[in-house]
Coordinates of all heavy atoms in Angstrom, one line a residue:
M1 N -3.9 -7.7 4.6 CA -3.5 -8.7 3.7 C -3.8 -8.4 2.2 O -4.8 -8.8 1.6 CB -4.3 -10.0 4.0 CG -4.2 -10.5 5.5 SD -2.9 -11.5 6.1 CE -2.0 -12.0 4.8
V2 N -2.9 -7.6 1.7 CA -2.9 -7.1 0.4 C -3.1 -8.2 -0.6 O -4.0 -8.2 -1.5 CB -1.8 -6.2 0.0 CG1 -1.8 -5.7 -1.4 CG2 -1.8 -4.9 1.0
Q3 N -2.3 -9.3 -0.4 CA -2.3 -10.3 -1.4 C -3.6 -11.2 -1.3 O -4.2 -11.7 -2.3 CB -1.1 -11.3 -1.2 CG 0.3 -10.6 -1.5 CD 0.4 -10.2 -2.8 OE1 -0.4 -10.1 -3.7 NE2 1.7 -9.9 -3.2
A4 N -4.1 -11.3 -0.1 CA -5.4 -12.1 0.1 C -6.5 -11.3 -0.7 O -7.4 -11.9 -1.3 CB -5.7 -12.3 1.5
D5 N -6.5 -9.9 -0.6 CA -7.5 -9.2 -1.2 C -7.4 -9.3 -2.8 O -8.4 -9.4 -3.5 CB -7.4 -7.7 -0.9 CG -7.8 -7.4 0.6 OD1 -8.5 -8.2 1.2 OD2 -7.3 -6.3 1.1
A6 N -6.1 -9.3 -3.2 CA -5.9 -9.4 -4.7 C -6.4 -10.8 -5.1 O -7.0 -11.0 -6.3 CB -4.5 -9.2 -5.1
I7 N -6.1 -11.9 -4.4 CA -6.5 -13.3 -4.7 C -8.0 -13.3 -4.8 O -8.7 -13.8 -5.7 CB -5.9 -14.3 -3.8 CG1 -4.4 -14.4 -4.1 CG2 -6.6 -15.6 -3.9 CD1 -3.5 -15.2 -3.0
K8 N -8.7 -12.8 -3.8 CA -10.1 -12.8 -3.7 C -10.8 -12.1 -4.7 O -11.9 -12.4 -5.3 CB -10.7 -12.4 -2.2 CG -10.3 -13.4 -1.3 CD -11.1 -13.3 0.0 CE -11.1 -14.5 0.9 NZ -12.0 -14.5 2.0
A9 N -10.0 -10.9 -5.2 CA -10.7 -10.1 -6.3 C -10.7 -10.8 -7.6 O -11.4 -10.5 -8.5 CB -9.8 -8.8 -6.5
K10 N -9.9 -12.0 -7.7 CA -9.9 -12.8 -8.9 C -11.0 -13.8 -8.8 O -11.1 -14.7 -9.7 CB -8.6 -13.5 -9.0 CG -7.4 -12.6 -9.1 CD -7.2 -12.4 -10.7 CE -5.8 -11.6 -10.8 NZ -5.5 -11.5 -12.3
G11 N -11.9 -13.8 -7.8 CA -13.0 -14.7 -7.8 C -12.8 -15.9 -6.8 O -13.6 -16.8 -6.8
V12 N -11.7 -15.9 -6.1 CA -11.5 -17.0 -5.1 C -12.5 -16.9 -4.0 O -12.6 -15.8 -3.3 CB -10.0 -17.0 -4.7 CG1 -9.7 -18.0 -3.6 CG2 -9.2 -17.3 -5.9
D13 N -13.1 -18.0 -3.6 CA -14.0 -18.0 -2.6 C -13.3 -18.1 -1.2 O -13.7 -17.5 -0.2 CB -15.0 -19.3 -2.6 CG -15.9 -19.2 -3.8 OD1 -16.3 -18.0 -4.2 OD2 -16.2 -20.1 -4.3
S14 N -12.2 -19.0 -1.0 CA -11.7 -19.2 0.3 C -10.1 -19.4 0.0 O -9.7 -20.1 -0.9 CB -12.2 -20.5 0.9 OG -13.5 -20.4 1.2
I15 N -9.3 -18.9 0.9 CA -7.9 -19.1 1.0 C -7.6 -19.8 2.3 O -8.0 -19.4 3.3 CB -7.2 -17.7 1.1 CG1 -7.4 -16.8 -0.2 CG2 -5.6 -18.0 1.1 CD1 -7.0 -15.4 -0.1
I16 N -7.1 -21.0 2.1 CA -6.9 -21.9 3.2 C -5.4 -22.2 3.4 O -4.7 -22.6 2.4 CB -7.7 -23.2 3.1 CG1 -9.2 -22.8 2.8 CG2 -7.4 -24.2 4.2 CD1 -10.0 -24.0 2.4
C17 N -5.0 -22.1 4.6 CA -3.5 -22.5 5.0 C -3.7 -23.7 5.9 O -4.3 -23.6 6.9 CB -2.9 -21.3 5.7 SG -1.2 -21.8 6.2
T18 N -2.9 -24.8 5.5 CA -2.9 -25.9 6.3 C -1.5 -26.3 6.7 O -0.6 -26.0 6.0 CB -3.6 -27.1 5.5 OG1 -3.6 -28.3 6.4 CG2 -2.9 -27.4 4.3
S19 N -1.4 -26.9 7.8 CA -0.1 -27.3 8.4 C -0.3 -28.4 9.4 O -1.4 -28.6 9.9 CB 0.5 -26.1 9.1 OG 1.8 -26.5 9.6
V20 N 0.7 -29.3 9.5 CA 0.7 -30.4 10.4 C 0.9 -29.8 11.8 O 2.1 -29.8 12.2 CB 1.6 -31.5 10.0 CG1 1.5 -32.7 11.0 CG2 1.3 -32.1 8.6
N21 N 0.0 -29.2 12.3 CA -0.1 -28.6 13.7 C -1.4 -28.7 14.3 O -2.4 -29.1 13.6 CB 0.4 -27.1 13.6 CG 1.8 -26.8 13.4 OD1 2.6 -27.4 14.3 ND2 2.3 -26.1 12.5
D22 N -1.5 -28.4 15.5 CA -2.9 -28.4 16.2 C -3.5 -27.1 15.9 O -3.0 -26.1 15.4 CB -2.8 -28.7 17.7 CG -2.0 -27.7 18.6 OD1 -2.3 -26.5 18.4 OD2 -1.0 -28.1 19.2
A23 N -4.8 -27.1 16.3 CA -5.7 -25.9 16.1 C -5.2 -24.7 16.8 O -5.3 -23.6 16.4 CB -7.2 -26.2 16.3
F24 N -4.6 -24.9 18.0 CA -4.3 -23.8 18.8 C -3.0 -23.1 18.2 O -2.9 -21.9 18.2 CB -3.9 -24.3 20.2 CG -5.0 -25.0 20.9 CD1 -5.2 -26.4 21.0 CD2 -6.1 -24.2 21.3 CE1 -6.3 -26.9 21.7 CE2 -7.3 -24.8 22.0 CZ -7.3 -26.1 22.1
V25 N -2.0 -23.9 17.6 CA -0.9 -23.3 16.9 C -1.4 -22.5 15.7 O -0.9 -21.5 15.4 CB 0.2 -24.5 16.6 CG1 1.2 -23.9 15.7 CG2 0.8 -25.0 17.9
M26 N -2.2 -23.2 14.9 CA -2.7 -22.5 13.7 C -3.4 -21.2 14.0 O -3.2 -20.2 13.3 CB -3.7 -23.4 12.9 CG -3.0 -24.7 12.4 SD -1.6 -24.4 11.3 CE -2.5 -23.7 9.9
D27 N -4.2 -21.2 15.1 CA -5.0 -20.0 15.5 C -4.0 -18.9 15.9 O -4.1 -17.7 15.4 CB -6.0 -20.2 16.6 CG -6.7 -19.0 17.1 OD1 -7.4 -18.4 16.2 OD2 -6.6 -18.6 18.2
A28 N -2.9 -19.3 16.7 CA -2.0 -18.2 17.1 C -1.2 -17.8 15.9 O -0.8 -16.6 15.9 CB -1.0 -19.0 18.2
W29 N -0.8 -18.7 15.0 CA 0.0 -18.3 13.9 C -0.8 -17.3 13.0 O -0.3 -16.2 12.6 CB 0.3 -19.5 13.1 CG 1.2 -19.3 11.9 CD1 2.0 -18.3 11.6 CD2 1.4 -20.2 10.7 NE1 2.7 -18.5 10.4 CE2 2.3 -19.7 9.9 CE3 0.8 -21.5 10.5 CZ2 2.6 -20.3 8.7 CZ3 1.1 -22.1 9.2 CH2 2.1 -21.5 8.4
G30 N -2.1 -17.5 12.7 CA -3.0 -16.7 12.0 C -3.1 -15.3 12.6 O -3.1 -14.2 11.9
K31 N -3.3 -15.3 13.9 CA -3.4 -14.0 14.6 C -2.1 -13.3 14.5 O -2.1 -12.0 14.3 CB -3.7 -14.2 16.2 CG -5.2 -14.6 16.2 CD -5.6 -14.8 17.7 CE -7.0 -15.3 17.8 NZ -7.4 -15.8 19.2
N32 N -0.9 -13.9 14.7 CA 0.4 -13.3 14.7 C 0.7 -12.6 13.3 O 1.3 -11.7 13.1 CB 1.5 -14.4 14.9 CG 2.9 -13.8 14.8 OD1 3.5 -13.9 13.8 ND2 3.3 -13.1 15.8
Q33 N 0.1 -13.3 12.2 CA 0.3 -12.9 10.8 C -0.7 -12.0 10.3 O -0.9 -11.6 9.1 CB 0.5 -14.1 9.9 CG 1.7 -14.9 10.2 CD 2.9 -14.1 10.1 OE1 3.2 -13.4 9.1 NE2 3.7 -14.0 11.1
N34 N -1.7 -11.6 11.2 CA -2.9 -10.8 10.8 C -3.7 -11.4 9.6 O -4.0 -10.8 8.6 CB -2.5 -9.4 10.5 CG -2.0 -8.7 11.7 OD1 -2.5 -8.7 12.8 ND2 -0.8 -8.0 11.6
A35 N -3.9 -12.7 9.6 CA -4.4 -13.5 8.5 C -6.0 -13.7 8.7 O -6.4 -14.7 8.5 CB -3.6 -14.8 8.5
D36 N -6.6 -12.5 8.8 CA -8.0 -12.6 9.0 C -8.7 -13.1 7.9 O -9.8 -13.7 7.9 CB -8.6 -11.2 9.3 CG -8.0 -10.6 10.6 OD1 -7.7 -11.4 11.5 OD2 -7.8 -9.4 10.7
E37 N -8.2 -13.0 6.6 CA -8.8 -13.4 5.4 C -8.5 -14.9 5.1 O -9.0 -15.4 4.0 CB -8.4 -12.5 4.2 CG -8.8 -11.2 4.4 CD -10.4 -10.9 4.3 OE1 -10.9 -11.6 3.5 OE2 -10.9 -10.2 5.1
I38 N -7.7 -15.5 5.9 CA -7.3 -16.9 5.6 C -7.8 -17.8 6.6 O -7.7 -17.6 7.9 CB -5.7 -17.0 5.5 CG1 -5.2 -16.0 4.4 CG2 -5.2 -18.3 5.3 CD1 -3.7 -15.8 4.5
I39 N -8.3 -19.0 6.1 CA -8.8 -20.1 7.0 C -7.5 -20.8 7.4 O -6.8 -21.4 6.5 CB -9.8 -21.0 6.3 CG1 -11.0 -20.1 6.0 CG2 -10.1 -22.1 7.3 CD1 -12.0 -20.9 5.1
M40 N -7.2 -20.9 8.7 CA -6.1 -21.6 9.3 C -6.5 -23.0 9.6 O -7.1 -23.1 10.6 CB -5.4 -20.8 10.3 CG -4.9 -19.4 10.0 SD -3.7 -19.3 8.7 CE -2.2 -19.8 9.6
L41 N -6.2 -24.0 8.8 CA -6.7 -25.2 9.0 C -5.7 -26.2 9.6 O -4.6 -26.5 8.9 CB -7.2 -25.9 7.7 CG -7.8 -27.2 7.6 CD1 -9.1 -27.3 8.4 CD2 -8.0 -27.7 6.2
A42 N -5.9 -26.7 10.7 CA -5.0 -27.7 11.4 C -5.1 -29.1 10.8 O -6.2 -29.6 10.6 CB -5.3 -27.8 12.9
D43 N -4.1 -29.7 10.4 CA -4.0 -31.1 10.0 C -3.1 -31.8 11.0 O -2.0 -32.3 10.7 CB -3.3 -31.0 8.6 CG -3.3 -32.3 7.9 OD1 -4.1 -33.3 8.4 OD2 -2.4 -32.6 7.0
G44 N -3.7 -31.9 12.2 CA -2.9 -32.4 13.4 C -1.9 -33.6 13.2 O -0.8 -33.5 13.6
I45 N -2.4 -34.6 12.5 CA -1.5 -35.7 12.3 C -1.0 -36.0 10.8 O -0.6 -37.1 10.6 CB -2.1 -37.0 13.1 CG1 -3.5 -37.4 12.5 CG2 -2.1 -36.9 14.5 CD1 -4.0 -38.7 13.0
G46 N -1.4 -35.0 10.1 CA -1.1 -35.2 8.7 C -2.0 -35.9 7.8 O -1.5 -36.3 6.7
N47 N -3.2 -36.2 8.2 CA -4.1 -36.8 7.4 C -4.3 -36.3 6.0 O -4.4 -37.0 4.9 CB -5.5 -37.2 8.1 CG -5.3 -38.2 9.1 OD1 -4.5 -39.0 9.2 ND2 -6.3 -38.1 10.1
L48 N -4.6 -35.0 6.0 CA -4.9 -34.3 4.7 C -3.5 -34.3 3.8 O -3.7 -34.7 2.7 CB -5.1 -32.8 5.0 CG -5.4 -32.0 3.7 CD1 -6.5 -32.5 2.9 CD2 -5.6 -30.5 4.1
A49 N -2.4 -34.0 4.4 CA -1.2 -34.2 3.6 C -1.1 -35.5 3.1 O -0.6 -35.6 1.9 CB 0.0 -33.7 4.5
E50 N -1.3 -36.6 3.7 CA -1.2 -37.9 3.3 C -2.3 -38.2 2.2 O -2.0 -38.8 1.1 CB -1.3 -38.9 4.3 CG -1.2 -40.4 3.9 CD -1.4 -41.4 5.0 OE1 -1.5 -40.9 6.3 OE2 -1.3 -42.6 4.8
A51 N -3.5 -37.7 2.4 CA -4.5 -38.0 1.5 C -4.2 -37.4 0.0 O -4.7 -37.9 -0.9 CB -5.9 -37.5 2.0
V52 N -3.6 -36.1 0.1 CA -3.3 -35.6 -1.2 C -1.9 -36.0 -1.7 O -1.4 -35.4 -2.8 CB -3.5 -34.0 -1.2 CG1 -4.9 -33.7 -1.0 CG2 -2.5 -33.4 -0.2
G53 N -1.2 -36.8 -1.0 CA 0.1 -37.4 -1.5 C 1.1 -36.4 -1.3 O 2.2 -36.4 -2.0
L54 N 1.1 -35.5 -0.3 CA 2.1 -34.5 -0.1 C 2.7 -34.5 1.3 O 3.2 -33.6 1.8 CB 1.5 -33.0 -0.4 CG 1.2 -32.9 -1.8 CD1 0.4 -31.6 -2.0 CD2 2.4 -32.8 -2.7
E55 N 2.7 -35.7 1.9 CA 3.3 -35.9 3.2 C 4.8 -36.0 3.0 O 5.3 -36.3 1.8 CB 2.9 -37.0 4.0 CG 3.3 -38.4 3.4 CD 2.5 -38.9 2.3 OE1 1.7 -38.2 1.6 OE2 2.9 -40.1 1.9
K56 N 5.6 -35.7 4.0 CA 7.0 -35.7 3.9 C 7.6 -36.3 5.3 O 7.3 -35.8 6.3 CB 7.6 -34.3 3.8 CG 9.0 -34.2 3.6 CD 9.5 -32.8 3.2 CE 10.9 -32.7 2.7 NZ 11.3 -31.4 2.1
D57 N 8.2 -37.4 5.2 CA 8.6 -38.2 6.3 C 10.1 -37.5 6.8 O 11.0 -37.7 6.2 CB 8.8 -39.6 6.0 CG 9.2 -40.5 7.3 OD1 9.4 -39.9 8.4 OD2 9.2 -41.7 7.1
L58 N 9.9 -36.9 7.9 CA 11.1 -36.2 8.5 C 11.4 -36.8 9.9 O 11.9 -36.2 10.8 CB 10.9 -34.7 8.7 CG 10.7 -34.0 7.4 CD1 10.3 -32.5 7.7 CD2 12.0 -34.0 6.5
T59 N 10.9 -38.1 10.0 CA 11.3 -38.8 11.4 C 12.7 -38.9 11.6 O 13.0 -38.9 12.7 CB 10.6 -40.1 11.4 OG1 11.0 -41.0 10.4 CG2 9.0 -40.1 11.4
G60 N 13.6 -39.1 10.5 CA 15.0 -39.1 10.8 C 15.6 -37.9 11.5 O 16.6 -37.9 12.1
A61 N 14.8 -36.8 11.2 CA 15.3 -35.5 11.8 C 14.5 -35.1 13.1 O 14.6 -34.0 13.5 CB 15.2 -34.4 10.8
Q62 N 13.8 -36.1 13.5 CA 12.9 -35.9 14.7 C 11.7 -35.0 14.7 O 11.3 -34.5 15.5 CB 13.8 -35.5 16.0 CG 14.9 -36.4 16.2 CD 14.6 -37.8 16.6 OE1 13.8 -38.0 17.4 NE2 15.2 -38.8 15.9
F63 N 11.2 -34.8 13.4 CA 10.1 -34.0 13.1 C 8.8 -34.8 12.8 O 7.8 -34.2 12.7 CB 10.4 -33.0 12.0 CG 11.3 -31.9 12.4 CD1 12.6 -31.9 11.7 CD2 11.1 -31.1 13.4 CE1 13.5 -30.8 12.0 CE2 12.0 -30.1 13.7 CZ 13.2 -29.9 13.0
G64 N 9.0 -36.1 12.7 CA 7.7 -36.9 12.3 C 7.4 -36.7 10.8 O 8.1 -36.2 10.0
V65 N 6.2 -37.0 10.6 CA 5.6 -36.9 9.2 C 5.0 -35.5 9.1 O 4.2 -35.1 10.1 CB 4.6 -38.0 8.8 CG1 4.1 -37.7 7.5 CG2 5.2 -39.3 8.9
R66 N 5.4 -34.7 8.1 CA 5.0 -33.3 7.9 C 4.3 -33.3 6.7 O 4.1 -34.2 6.0 CB 6.2 -32.4 8.1 CG 7.1 -32.5 9.3 CD 6.4 -32.4 10.6 NE 6.0 -31.0 10.9 CZ 5.3 -30.7 11.9 NH1 5.0 -31.5 12.8 NH2 4.9 -29.3 12.0
S67 N 4.0 -31.9 6.2 CA 3.5 -31.7 5.0 C 4.5 -31.0 4.1 O 5.3 -30.1 4.7 CB 2.2 -30.8 5.0 OG 1.7 -30.5 3.8
Q68 N 4.5 -31.3 2.8 CA 5.4 -30.5 2.0 C 4.8 -29.2 1.8 O 3.6 -29.0 2.1 CB 5.5 -31.1 0.6 CG 6.2 -32.5 0.6 CD 6.2 -33.1 -0.9 OE1 6.8 -32.4 -1.7 NE2 5.7 -34.2 -1.0
R69 N 5.6 -28.2 1.4 CA 5.1 -26.9 1.1 C 4.6 -26.8 -0.3 O 5.2 -27.1 -1.2 CB 6.2 -25.9 1.3 CG 5.6 -24.4 1.1 CD 6.8 -23.4 1.3 NE 6.1 -22.1 1.1 CZ 5.8 -21.3 2.2 NH1 6.2 -21.7 3.4 NH2 5.3 -20.1 2.1
Y70 N 3.3 -26.4 -0.3 CA 2.6 -26.4 -1.6 C 1.5 -25.3 -1.7 O 1.0 -24.9 -0.6 CB 2.1 -27.7 -2.0 CG 0.9 -28.3 -1.1 CD1 -0.4 -28.1 -1.5 CD2 1.2 -29.0 0.1 CE1 -1.5 -28.5 -0.7 CE2 0.1 -29.3 0.9 CZ -1.2 -29.1 0.6 OH -2.2 -29.6 1.4
A71 N 1.1 -25.0 -2.9 CA -0.1 -24.3 -3.1 C -1.0 -25.0 -4.1 O -0.4 -25.6 -5.0 CB 0.2 -22.9 -3.5
M72 N -2.3 -24.9 -3.9 CA -3.2 -25.6 -4.7 C -4.4 -24.8 -5.1 O -4.9 -24.0 -4.2 CB -3.7 -26.9 -4.0 CG -4.5 -27.8 -4.8 SD -5.1 -29.2 -3.9 CE -3.6 -30.0 -3.5
I73 N -4.8 -24.8 -6.4 CA -6.0 -24.0 -6.8 C -7.0 -25.1 -7.1 O -6.7 -25.9 -8.0 CB -5.7 -23.1 -7.8 CG1 -4.7 -22.0 -7.5 CG2 -7.1 -22.5 -8.4 CD1 -4.3 -21.1 -8.7
L74 N -8.1 -25.1 -6.4 CA -9.2 -26.0 -6.7 C -10.4 -25.2 -7.3 O -10.6 -24.2 -6.8 CB -9.7 -26.7 -5.5 CG -8.7 -27.6 -4.7 CD1 -9.2 -28.0 -3.4 CD2 -8.4 -28.8 -5.5
N75 N -11.0 -25.8 -8.3 CA -12.2 -25.2 -8.8 C -13.3 -26.2 -8.9 O -13.1 -27.2 -9.7 CB -11.9 -24.6 -10.2 CG -13.0 -23.8 -10.9 OD1 -14.0 -23.8 -10.2 ND2 -12.8 -23.3 -12.0
D76 N -14.3 -26.1 -8.1 CA -15.3 -27.2 -8.1 C -14.9 -28.6 -7.8 O -15.1 -29.5 -8.4 CB -16.2 -27.1 -9.3 CG -17.1 -25.9 -9.4 OD1 -17.4 -25.4 -8.3 OD2 -17.3 -25.4 -10.4
G77 N -13.8 -28.6 -7.0 CA -13.2 -29.9 -6.5 C -12.1 -30.4 -7.5 O -11.6 -31.6 -7.3
V78 N -11.9 -29.7 -8.5 CA -10.8 -30.1 -9.5 C -9.6 -29.4 -9.3 O -9.7 -28.1 -9.3 CB -11.4 -29.9 -10.9 CG1 -10.3 -30.3 -12.0 CG2 -12.6 -30.8 -11.2
V79 N -8.4 -30.0 -9.3 CA -7.1 -29.3 -9.0 C -6.8 -28.7 -10.4 O -6.6 -29.4 -11.3 CB -6.0 -30.3 -8.6 CG1 -4.7 -29.6 -8.5 CG2 -6.4 -30.9 -7.3
E80 N -6.7 -27.3 -10.4 CA -6.3 -26.6 -11.6 C -4.8 -26.2 -11.5 O -4.2 -25.9 -12.5 CB -7.1 -25.4 -11.8 CG -8.5 -25.6 -12.1 CD -9.4 -24.6 -12.5 OE1 -9.0 -23.4 -12.2 OE2 -10.5 -24.7 -13.0
Y81 N -4.3 -26.2 -10.3 CA -2.8 -25.8 -10.1 C -2.4 -26.5 -8.9 O -3.0 -26.5 -7.9 CB -2.6 -24.3 -10.1 CG -1.2 -23.9 -9.7 CD1 -0.1 -24.0 -10.6 CD2 -0.8 -23.5 -8.4 CE1 1.1 -23.6 -10.3 CE2 0.4 -23.2 -8.1 CZ 1.4 -23.2 -9.0 OH 2.7 -22.8 -8.8
L82 N -1.2 -27.1 -9.0 CA -0.5 -27.7 -7.9 C 1.1 -27.2 -7.9 O 1.7 -27.6 -8.9 CB -0.6 -29.1 -7.8 CG 0.1 -29.8 -6.7 CD1 -0.3 -29.3 -5.2 CD2 0.1 -31.3 -6.6
G83 N 1.5 -26.4 -7.1 CA 2.9 -26.0 -7.1 C 3.6 -26.5 -5.8 O 3.2 -26.1 -4.7
V84 N 4.5 -27.4 -5.9 CA 5.2 -27.9 -4.7 C 6.6 -27.4 -4.6 O 7.3 -27.5 -5.7 CB 5.2 -29.4 -4.8 CG1 5.8 -30.1 -3.6 CG2 3.8 -30.0 -4.9
D85 N 7.0 -26.8 -3.6 CA 8.4 -26.3 -3.4 C 9.2 -27.2 -2.6 O 8.8 -27.6 -1.5 CB 8.2 -24.9 -2.7 CG 7.7 -23.9 -3.7 OD1 8.2 -23.8 -4.7 OD2 6.9 -23.1 -3.2
D86 N 10.3 -27.5 -3.0 CA 11.4 -28.2 -2.3 C 12.1 -27.3 -1.3 O 12.4 -27.6 -0.2 CB 12.4 -29.1 -3.2 CG 11.8 -30.1 -3.9 OD1 11.0 -30.8 -3.4 OD2 12.2 -30.2 -5.1
K87 N 12.5 -26.1 -1.9 CA 13.0 -25.0 -1.0 C 12.3 -23.7 -1.5 O 12.0 -23.5 -2.6 CB 14.5 -24.9 -1.3 CG 15.2 -26.1 -0.8 CD 16.7 -26.1 -0.9 CE 17.5 -27.3 -0.4 NZ 18.9 -27.1 -0.7
G88 N 12.3 -22.7 -0.5 CA 11.7 -21.4 -0.9 C 10.3 -21.5 -1.2 O 9.5 -22.4 -0.8
V89 N 9.7 -20.5 -1.8 CA 8.3 -20.4 -2.1 C 8.0 -20.0 -3.5 O 6.9 -19.4 -3.8 CB 7.7 -19.4 -1.1 CG1 7.7 -19.8 0.3 CG2 8.3 -18.0 -1.3
E90 N 8.8 -20.4 -4.4 CA 8.7 -20.0 -5.8 C 7.4 -20.5 -6.4 O 6.7 -19.7 -7.1 CB 9.8 -20.6 -6.6 CG 9.7 -20.3 -8.1 CD 10.9 -20.9 -8.9 OE1 12.1 -20.7 -8.6 OE2 10.6 -21.6 -9.9
K91 N 6.9 -21.6 -6.0 CA 5.6 -22.2 -6.6 C 4.5 -22.1 -5.7 O 3.3 -22.3 -6.1 CB 5.9 -23.7 -7.0 CG 6.9 -23.9 -8.0 CD 7.2 -25.4 -8.2 CE 8.4 -25.5 -9.1 NZ 8.8 -26.9 -9.1
S92 N 4.7 -21.8 -4.5 CA 3.6 -21.7 -3.5 C 3.3 -20.3 -2.9 O 2.4 -20.2 -2.0 CB 3.9 -22.7 -2.3 OG 5.0 -22.3 -1.6
S93 N 4.0 -19.3 -3.4 CA 3.7 -17.9 -2.9 C 2.3 -17.4 -3.3 O 1.8 -17.8 -4.4 CB 4.8 -17.1 -3.3 OG 4.8 -16.8 -4.7
A94 N 1.9 -16.3 -2.7 CA 0.7 -15.7 -3.2 C 1.0 -15.2 -4.7 O 0.0 -15.2 -5.4 CB 0.4 -14.5 -2.2
E95 N 2.2 -14.6 -4.9 CA 2.4 -14.1 -6.3 C 2.3 -15.2 -7.3 O 1.8 -15.1 -8.4 CB 3.8 -13.5 -6.4 CG 4.0 -12.3 -5.6 CD 4.1 -12.4 -4.1 OE1 4.4 -13.6 -3.6 OE2 4.0 -11.4 -3.3
A96 N 2.8 -16.5 -7.0 CA 2.6 -17.7 -7.9 C 1.2 -18.0 -8.1 O 0.7 -18.2 -9.2 CB 3.4 -18.8 -7.4
I97 N 0.5 -18.0 -7.1 CA -1.0 -18.1 -7.1 C -1.7 -17.1 -8.0 O -2.5 -17.4 -8.9 CB -1.6 -18.2 -5.7 CG1 -1.2 -19.4 -4.9 CG2 -3.2 -18.2 -5.9 CD1 -1.6 -20.8 -5.7
L98 N -1.3 -15.9 -7.7 CA -2.0 -14.8 -8.6 C -1.6 -14.9 -10.0 O -2.5 -14.7 -10.9 CB -1.5 -13.4 -8.1 CG -2.2 -12.9 -6.8 CD1 -1.5 -11.7 -6.3 CD2 -3.6 -12.5 -7.2
A99 N -0.4 -15.4 -10.3 CA -0.1 -15.6 -11.8 C -0.9 -16.7 -12.4 O -1.1 -16.7 -13.7 CB 1.4 -15.9 -11.8
Q100 N -1.4 -17.6 -11.6 CA -2.1 -18.9 -12.1 C -3.6 -18.5 -12.2 O -4.4 -19.3 -13.0 CB -1.9 -20.0 -11.1 CG -0.5 -20.5 -11.1 CD -0.1 -21.1 -12.6 OE1 -0.9 -21.8 -13.3 NE2 1.2 -20.8 -12.9
L101 N -4.1 -17.5 -11.6 CA -5.6 -17.2 -11.6 C -6.0 -16.4 -12.9 O -5.3 -15.7 -13.5 CB -6.0 -16.4 -10.4 CG -5.9 -17.2 -9.1 CD1 -6.1 -16.2 -8.0 CD2 -6.8 -18.3 -9.0

């Protein structure tokens, strides 16, 4: 995880990936991606996505309520960066985060 190492080298304590999935899916996804440096956090029914105002209602497409794709930098509980992508990963990629640190 070259990008994870570069992000942590900038002083980041934790890299967390969250998704509206269960813990088993998140664990398998993390293992598949060799994401040892990343905390894979299950947001099973989207409570976190809703709490931060980044839920996306896809019930019309039979997907239920999901999370938007985003990256957030928090410093002592204060949001310093929030990049939300409608398509692609321009604002939520590791490179985007590195540019903000």
Side-chain angles (χ1 to χ4, degrees):
M1 303 279 345
V2 175
Q3 299 294 17
D5 292 339
I7 291 170
K8 287 196 168 188
K10 297 270 189 175
V12 171
D13 295 323
S14 300
I15 302 170
I16 302 168
C17 174
T18 182
S19 180
V20 179
N21 277 307
D22 63 53
F24 302 105
V25 168
M26 295 302 288
D27 182 57
W29 185 22
K31 287 177 181 173
N32 178 266
Q33 296 300 307
N34 298 314
D36 298 330
E37 297 294 319
I38 300 172
I39 298 168
M40 302 298 284
L41 181 66
D43 184 18
I45 57 173
N47 286 341
L48 176 62
E50 183 179 358
V52 296
L54 292 168
E55 74 278 6
K56 187 172 191 171
D57 188 354
L58 296 173
T59 54
Q62 304 300 311
F63 291 118
V65 177
R66 311 301 292 175
S67 176
Q68 295 183 56
R69 183 180 182 100
Y70 66 94
M72 185 183 296
I73 298 173
L74 297 167
N75 189 358
D76 292 327
V78 176
V79 177
E80 292 187 345
Y81 173 77
L82 176 62
V84 181
D85 286 312
D86 290 325
K87 293 182 180 181
V89 295
E90 181 179 311
K91 299 174 186 171
S92 62
S93 68
E95 292 80 12
I97 292 300
L98 279 165
Q100 295 296 320
L101 292 172

